[in-house]
């Protein structure tokens, strides 16, 4: 059971109720939390989450790597290894803040996360986009109670910008949904062959039909 802030002890395995996230105390008054609240997700603050920044109700713990962490050098590697070891039964998700400054460092970080540590990675343009992704994940849990769109798979795809651009051309699929789809499916071919029922938990029924029609339209 989640313990409200101020109580003693670690809450490394705390699971928030539906419609909530547990946020590390350092995120109080942040843009990300304000955007979460605006998206209908309530934040419960806790000072004993360890390295994790957020716990989601779908058994996912989230670490947010800011741009300054990425461009400062390889010091983030030790933090990521500790995060991987300390996640317990939770699925790990690393949100990486990307920009022109960090673009040259991103491929090296991506390979380290996916190939060396086996962690799921999603690039985000900033805290607002990160909040949108987290809101989407919390919403999926409320819809079906169990589905985790960020669940770690047996393969780890290094996101190709060209593939990301292709998926974003589907009507009703923006960057956030495209990233979730490419993290879920191991290849563009798998995405093309996915049935609407497989797509709906990630993007909703309307976008699922758009995706099916987009990749199977007559030539």
């Amino acid at each position: 059971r989640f313990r409200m802030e101020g109580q003693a002890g670690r809450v490394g395995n705390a699971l928030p109720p539906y419609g909530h996230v547990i946020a590390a105390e350092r995120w109080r008054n942040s843009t990300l939390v304000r955007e979460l609240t605006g998206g209908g997700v309530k934040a419960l603050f806790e000072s004993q989450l360890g390295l994790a920044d957020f716990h989601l109700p779908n058994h996912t713990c989230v670490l947010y790597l800011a741009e300054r962490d990425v461009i400062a050098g390889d010091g983030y590697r030790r933090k990521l290894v500790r995060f991987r070891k300390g996640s317990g039964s939770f699925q790990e998700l690393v949100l990486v803040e990307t920009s022109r400054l960090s673009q040259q460092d991103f491929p090296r970080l991506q390979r380290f996360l996916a190939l060396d540590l086996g962690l799921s990675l999603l690039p985000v343009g900033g805290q607002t986009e990160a909040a949108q992704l987290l809101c989407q994940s919390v919403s999926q849990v409320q819809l079906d109670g169990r589905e985790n769109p960020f669940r770690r798979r047996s393969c780890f795809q290094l996101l190709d910008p060209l593939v990301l651009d292709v998926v974003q051309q589907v009507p009703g699929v923006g960057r956030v949904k495209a990233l979730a789809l490419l993290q879920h499916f191991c290849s563009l071919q798998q995405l093309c062959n996915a049935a609407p029922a497989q797509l709906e938990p990630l993007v909703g029924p309307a976008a699922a039909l758009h995706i099916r029609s987009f990749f199977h339209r007559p030539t």
Side-chain angles (χ1 to χ4, degrees), residues 33-66:
V33 168
R34 286 197 297 271
E35 293 290 336
L36 281 176
T37 303
V41 175
K42 296 180 180 179
L44 305 171
F45 294 97
E46 174 57 53
S47 59
Q48 300 291 329
L49 282 189
L51 287 176
D53 291 302
F54 301 95
H55 282 188
L56 310 185
N58 58 6
H59 290 85
T60 298
C61 58
V62 180
L63 177 68
Y64 188 95
L65 275 187

Side-chain angles (χ1 to χ4, degrees), residues 97-170:
E97 192 175 283
T98 58
S99 69
R100 291 183 179 179
L101 288 175
S102 61
Q103 189 173 13
Q104 63 182 1
D105 300 301
F106 184 74
R108 183 173 69 253
L109 168 61
Q110 194 175 40
R111 287 191 295 271
F112 177 69
L113 276 166
L115 300 181
D116 294 345
L117 298 182
L119 293 175
S120 296
L121 158 71
L122 288 178
V124 294
Q127 292 188 26
T128 296
E129 187 173 315
Q132 292 172 349
L133 281 166
L134 297 184
C135 283
Q136 181 194 24
S137 180
V138 173
S139 296
Q140 301 307 325
V141 177
Q142 289 180 281
L143 286 174
D144 56 27
R146 294 184 184 275
E147 180 65 21
N148 181 351
F150 302 129
R151 185 177 299 279
R152 192 165 64 247
R153 302 281 167 172
S154 59
C155 61
F156 303 96
Q157 177 179 349
L158 299 181
L159 292 179
D160 186 334
L162 294 178
V163 175
L164 182 60
D165 287 342
V166 169
V167 178
Q168 288 184 96
Q169 292 178 30
V170 179

Side-chain angles (χ1 to χ4, degrees), residues 1-79:
R1 182 177 179 274
F2 173 70
R3 288 173 284 184
M4 296 299 291
E5 61 176 326
Q7 290 188 316
R10 297 185 60 82
V11 290
N13 292 318
L15 191 67
Y18 291 169
H20 295 69
V21 301
I22 301 177
E25 180 64 37
R26 56 186 171 274
W27 285 94
R28 188 185 291 274
N29 300 321
S30 66
T31 298
L32 198 158
V33 168
R34 286 197 297 271
E35 293 290 336
L36 281 176
T37 303
V41 175
K42 296 180 180 179
L44 305 171
F45 294 97
E46 174 57 53
S47 59
Q48 300 291 329
L49 282 189
L51 287 176
D53 291 302
F54 301 95
H55 282 188
L56 310 185
N58 58 6
H59 290 85
T60 298
C61 58
V62 180
L63 177 68
Y64 188 95
L65 275 187
E67 176 191 64
R68 62 179 179 273
D69 299 320
V70 178
I71 63 178
D74 291 338
Y76 59 77
R77 292 186 174 224
R78 187 177 303 158
K79 182 178 183 179

Side-chain angles (χ1 to χ4, degrees), residues 151-217:
R151 185 177 299 279
R152 192 165 64 247
R153 302 281 167 172
S154 59
C155 61
F156 303 96
Q157 177 179 349
L158 299 181
L159 292 179
D160 186 334
L162 294 178
V163 175
L164 182 60
D165 287 342
V166 169
V167 178
Q168 288 184 96
Q169 292 178 30
V170 179
V173 177
R175 178 177 170 84
V176 171
K177 290 182 178 179
L179 286 169
L181 286 165
L182 292 177
Q183 192 67 27
H184 187 87
F185 295 99
C186 295
S187 69
L188 189 58
Q189 182 179 8
Q190 284 192 11
L191 176 59
C192 294
N193 294 331
Q198 295 174 284
L199 300 168
E200 285 185 15
L202 296 167
V203 297
L209 292 177
H210 284 312
I211 293 168
R212 186 70 178 174
S213 299
F214 182 85
F215 289 114
H216 294 273
R217 58 191 174 190

